[in-house]
Amino acid sequence: MTELTIIQRSPDPEQVAAQSRTRRSIAEKIRAMGQNRIGALILLIATAAAIIWANVSIGSYETFWETHLTVGVGDLQLDFTLHALVNDALMAIFFFTVGLEVRREFAIGELTSWSRAVVPVVAAIAGLAIPALLFVLIAAGSGHEYAWGIVISTDTAFLVGALALIGPRVPGRLRVFLLALAVVDDIGALSIIALVYTENFNPMPLLIAAAGLTGVYFTRYLRGGRGPVYATLSIIVWLAFLASGVHPTLAGVAIALLVPVYRPDRRDVEHALDLARTFRQSPNTEYARAAANSLRESISINERLQSAYAPYVAYVILPLFALANAGVVISPEILAGAMTSALTWGIVVGLVVGKFIGVFGSAAVLRVLKIGEFGPGLTLDRIAGGAALCGIGFTISLFIVDLAIDDPAAQNQARVGVLAASVIAFLVSTVIFRISDVVRPDLESGQTLMRPVDAKRDHVFGSENAPYTIVEYGDFQCGFCLKASGSIQEVKEELGDDLRYVWRHAPLTQYHPNALAGAEAAEAASLQGKFFEFERGLFTDQENQRPSDIIRLARELGLDIEKFERDLTSPEVTGRVRDDMLDAEAMNITSVPTLFINGRRHTGPYDSQSLIRALSQPDQGTATATLTTPTL
C-alpha cells in the first residue's frame, strides 16, 4: 500500500466568493418551483369560483354557459353555446399541447429508450385499466357503467403543480417518471374518447381532415410563412372533425403529432451566432430580423409551439374549462344522494384506490423483477406518493362526465365524485411524502453516493480494484473543476494504481450556457472510446466550447465526425447526461466540483494533499463520500 503523506494547506480563497453563487442557484430553483405552482393555483381558484357561482346563483351559472354564440357568413354558420365553445374549441388547443408533448417524448424524450420507458408505460397502462375495472364493479347496476372513462386519466396540470407544492425535497427523478407516465396516460385517455365516446359518426368529413393533415405534414418544407398555413389548415381539420362526429378536440392531437420535433442542429446554431455577430457589428433592422429568424428556426416548431401556447393553456384555457365545468350544486340533499350513489363511489374508488394500486403496484412488481430503470431517488415510497397524486383526475374526468352522462342529476353526482377524489388523492399523497421525508432523512442529505460506481456505465480512469475512489460531479466550463482535475492528477501520480477516478456530469447551465452541450459531446466521444481525451480537450479551452469548437476538437482527436454528430442528439447520449444530473439533484448537489471520496462526501478544500488526507481517514474506506466545493 502506498504511504500517504499529509501536508496542511490553506483553502483556495476563490471558494469563498463562490459560496454566494451557490446560494443564488438555490434561489433560482425555488423560483422555478414557484412558477410550477401558479397554473395549479389559478386552476384551483377557478374551480372554487365555479362552485361558489353555481351555488350562490344556480340559474345564472347555467344560463350564462348555455348562452348561444353564432359565427358565420350567410348560410354558412356555426352555433355554439359558451359551454361548447370552451369544451370543443378552446380545449382543442389544450389537447394540441398534449399532442406536442406526446410527440416530443417519443421522438427525443424519456420514451425513446425502452429501458427508461418500460416502468412509466406499464404503470400508466395499469393506472388506466385497474381504475376502470373498479369503477365498473362498483357502478354495476346503476345504469352508468358506460361512464368508466371518467376514472382513467390523471390531470397533468394539477399533478405538476401539486408535486411542486407538496412533493419530496428532491423530486427530480420522480417528476420525470410522473411526466412520462402522464404522456402515456393522455394517449390512453384520448384513444378512449375517440373510440368510446364518439357518437353519430360520419366518415366523409374525415377525408377532408385527412387532406388537411397531409397539408400540415408538408407545411414543414415551406421556406417561409408557415404560421398562417398551419393556422388555416388547423381550422379546416377542426371543422372536419366537428362535422364527422369525432370529438373536435382530437383534431388538436392529430395536428400536433405531425408537427416536426428535433434537437437543434449545430449548423443552424452556428449560422444564428454568425448573424448575431453581424448585427452586433452593424446594427440595422435587416440584420436584426435575419438574426431573430435564424435563432427561431434553429429550434423545432414543436418546442416553439409548446413555449408559445403553454402560458395560455395554463393561465386561460384550463381555468376557463374549470369555470365552465366544475360548477357543482352542493346542498344537503345532493350530498346525501352522492353519499349513497354507486356512480359517485365508483369514481372516488376508481381514482383514489385504482390509480394507486395500478401505478404503485405495477412499479413495485417491476422493481422486484428488476425490469426497467429506476435510478437513485425513484424509491418505492416516492412512487407511492406519486401514485396517490395520480388520483387527481379533474380536467379529463370532468370532460368525460359531459360526454358520458346525459342526466343533469347524475352529472352533478359525478362531479362531486371527481372533486372529492381529487381532494382525497392530494391529502393522501401529502401524508405519504411527509412520512417519506421523515423516515429517509439521509436520502437527500447527499452524504453518501447514491449510485455505486459501475465500470460498465461510468467513465473510470484507473484500476477497477483500486482501494481508493474519487467520484467527481463536474462541469467542463467550471474553472474550479479545472483546478480539481489538476489536483486529482497529482493524487493519481502519488497513489498510482491505488486510485481510480470517476467523472459524472453536473453542468451548471445557469452560469455556463455551453456546459450541457460539452457534457453531451463528451458522451458522444465516449461511444468512440475517447471520453477522457475529449474531457482534457474541453478543460484545455474552456472559453471556446461552441458547436464549431466541439466539432473541431472531435476532428483533432480523430473521431468519426458523421457518427459523432449523429450521437450528439441520440437518446443514449442525452439520457446518460440527464441521468447524472438527476443523480446530482437527488444528492442535493448545488455546486461543482463535488467530489465523493470512497463514498463519503468530504467538505473542504480540494488541493491534492487535502484529498490525500481525506482518502486516509479510517471511515473513508468503505463508504462513498463527497467533497462539495463552491460553484463558479
Side-chain angles (χ1 to χ4, degrees):
M1 185 75 66
T2 302
E3 182 177 353
L4 303 183
T5 303
I6 300 175
I7 300 175
Q8 181 68 40
R9 291 189 181 180
S10 301
D12 190 332
E14 291 179 331
Q15 296 180 20
V16 178
Q19 292 292 343
S20 63
R21 298 188 181 96
T22 302
R23 289 190 290 270
R24 203 162 60 228
S25 69
I26 295 172
E28 289 176 359
K29 287 185 177 182
I30 293 172
R31 284 196 297 272
M33 290 182 65
Q35 291 172 357
N36 288 333
R37 299 185 181 120
I38 294 175
L41 180 61
I42 295 174
L43 193 58
L44 185 62
I45 292 172
T47 302
I51 295 173
I52 293 171
W53 183 5
N55 285 273
V56 170
S57 180
I58 299 176
S60 70
Y61 180 83
E62 294 181 353
T63 301
F64 177 81
W65 291 110
E66 290 304 316
T67 301
H68 281 261
L69 180 66
T70 302
V71 180
V73 178
D75 295 333
L76 184 61
Q77 293 187 341
L78 292 175
D79 184 72
F80 287 97
T81 63
L82 289 179
H83 184 266
L85 183 65
V86 171
N87 283 23
D88 294 350
L90 292 183
M91 286 299 286
I93 300 175
F94 164 73
F95 283 109
F96 174 72
T97 60
V98 170
L100 290 174
E101 183 64 25
V102 169
R103 176 81 172 88
R104 185 188 184 283
E105 285 299 313
F106 276 100
I108 60 175
E110 192 72 7
L111 300 179
T112 54
S113 166
W114 174 245
S115 61
R116 296 174 187 278
V118 61
V119 179
V121 167
V122 171
I125 293 172
L128 289 166
I130 293 179
L133 178 62
L134 288 178
F135 176 87
V136 171
L137 290 175
I138 295 173
S142 66
H144 298 294
E145 299 89 342
Y146 183 65
W148 55 269
I150 296 171
V151 300
I152 59 174
S153 187
T154 296
D155 188 294
T156 305
F158 265 132
L159 179 71
V160 173
L163 186 64
L165 184 66
I166 63 164
R169 287 187 288 268
V170 281
R173 203 173 294 275
L174 176 63
R175 182 176 60 248
V176 171
F177 166 78
L178 290 177
L179 287 175
L181 181 150
V183 167
V184 181
D185 182 277
D186 287 337
I187 294 172
L190 295 171
S191 301
I192 288 168
I193 291 172
L195 297 174
V196 178
Y197 297 110
T198 293
E199 298 179 356
N200 303 319
F201 178 64
N202 180 6
M204 293 305 294
L206 290 183
L207 296 177
I208 298 175
L213 291 172
T214 302
V216 169
Y217 177 82
F218 285 105
T219 299
R220 70 183 69 186
Y221 298 111
L222 295 178
R223 296 184 62 85
R226 289 191 294 265
V229 176
Y230 272 125
T232 302
L233 291 174
S234 297
I235 293 172
I236 292 172
V237 171
W238 182 83
L239 290 171
F241 269 71
L242 181 67
S244 72
V246 176
H247 203 280
T249 54
L250 298 179
V253 180
I255 295 165
L257 294 178
L258 296 174
V259 173
V261 58
Y262 49 81
R263 294 188 183 278
D265 182 85
R266 73 166 181 92
R267 295 177 182 84
D268 293 335
V269 174
E270 285 291 342
H271 180 61
L273 290 173
D274 289 339
L275 287 174
R277 281 195 295 269
T278 302
F279 171 72
R280 185 177 62 183
Q281 294 165 0
S282 180
N284 61 60
T285 56
E286 181 180 350
Y287 289 150
R289 184 166 54 251
N293 289 338
S294 182
L295 285 170
R296 185 176 63 252
E297 293 298 323
S298 67
I299 305 298
S300 73
I301 301 172
N302 178 290
E303 294 186 87
R304 278 184 275 148
L305 288 173
Q306 284 195 63
S307 298
Y309 282 102
Y312 297 104
V313 170
Y315 304 147
V316 179
I317 293 175
L318 288 181
L320 276 176
F321 173 82
L323 195 62
N325 290 271
V328 180
V329 178
I330 298 176
S331 67
E333 295 79 12
I334 290 175
L335 290 179
M339 288 294 294
T340 59
S341 169
L343 173 61
T344 303
W345 282 106
I347 292 171
V348 172
V349 173
L351 284 171
V352 177
V353 180
K355 280 290 184 182
F356 182 85
I357 293 175
V359 174
F360 176 74
S362 59
V365 170
L366 292 176
R367 183 91 179 215
V368 170
L369 297 178
K370 300 185 185 306
I371 297 175
E373 289 186 25
F374 283 81
L378 190 59
T379 54
L380 288 181
D381 53 336
R382 295 291 193 251
I383 293 175
L389 213 52
C390 288
I392 301 177
F394 201 77
T395 302
I396 293 183
S397 294
L398 292 176
F399 189 78
I400 296 179
V401 165
D402 192 58
L403 297 177
I405 302 174
D406 295 324
D407 179 20
Q411 285 183 344
N412 215 37
Q413 292 176 356
R415 292 188 182 109
V416 169
V418 170
L419 295 175
S422 298
V423 172
I424 294 170
F426 181 85
L427 295 176
V428 170
S429 61
T430 301
V431 172
I432 293 175
F433 283 136
R434 295 292 77 81
I435 292 175
S436 175
D437 284 340
V438 170
V439 300
R440 303 174 70 89
D442 60 334
L443 182 66
E444 298 84 19
S445 67
Q447 298 308 306
T448 25
L449 188 66
M450 296 178 67
R451 187 192 292 272
V453 175
D454 182 352
K456 295 181 180 179
R457 174 193 183 276
D458 283 310
H459 304 295
V460 181
F461 183 76
S463 171
E464 185 177 348
N465 299 318
Y468 303 118
T469 299
I470 296 178
V471 177
E472 177 180 359
Y473 281 85
D475 175 326
F476 291 128
Q477 281 198 298
C478 172
F480 295 118
C481 293
L482 174 60
K483 292 183 179 182
S485 68
S487 299
I488 293 170
Q489 181 60 35
E490 292 178 15
V491 175
K492 179 67 177 173
E493 292 173 359
E494 178 76 20
L495 301 183
D497 291 338
D498 283 343
L499 176 71
R500 66 173 177 172
Y501 165 68
V502 179
W503 171 276
R504 291 178 180 174
H505 303 286
L508 300 178
T509 54
Q510 66 268 38
Y511 301 111
H512 307 134
N514 297 323
L516 181 58
E520 292 175 346
E523 286 301 320
S526 75
L527 297 180
Q528 299 186 45
K530 294 290 183 71
F531 176 83
F532 284 106
E533 292 88 341
F534 206 92
E535 175 198 44
R536 286 194 292 272
L538 291 173
F539 273 137
T540 300
D541 191 6
Q542 289 189 313
E543 296 302 318
N544 297 300
Q545 295 186 9
R546 297 177 305 168
S548 59
D549 301 316
I550 286 173
I551 296 298
R552 174 180 50 77
L553 176 58
R555 188 173 287 111
E556 291 173 356
L557 292 175
L559 300 181
D560 180 337
I561 298 301
E562 289 187 6
K563 174 176 169 37
F564 179 77
E565 290 198 54
R566 287 196 306 271
D567 290 338
L568 275 175
T569 57
S570 69
E572 180 181 0
V573 163
T574 55
R576 173 69 172 76
V577 173
R578 182 162 67 168
D579 273 347
D580 279 359
M581 295 173 69
L582 288 171
D583 290 350
E585 182 188 16
M587 292 180 292
N588 197 29
I589 293 175
T590 58
S591 60
V592 292
T594 291
L595 307 178
F596 287 81
I597 299 180
N598 290 337
R600 293 295 305 170
R601 190 170 191 154
H602 171 79
T603 56
Y606 48 82
D607 59 90
S608 60
Q609 294 304 317
S610 295
L611 297 182
I612 291 174
R613 183 170 58 255
L615 287 165
S616 70
Q617 296 299 316
D619 64 342
Q620 300 287 345
T622 57
T624 314
T626 137
L627 167 101
T628 306
T629 53
T631 164
L632 182 64

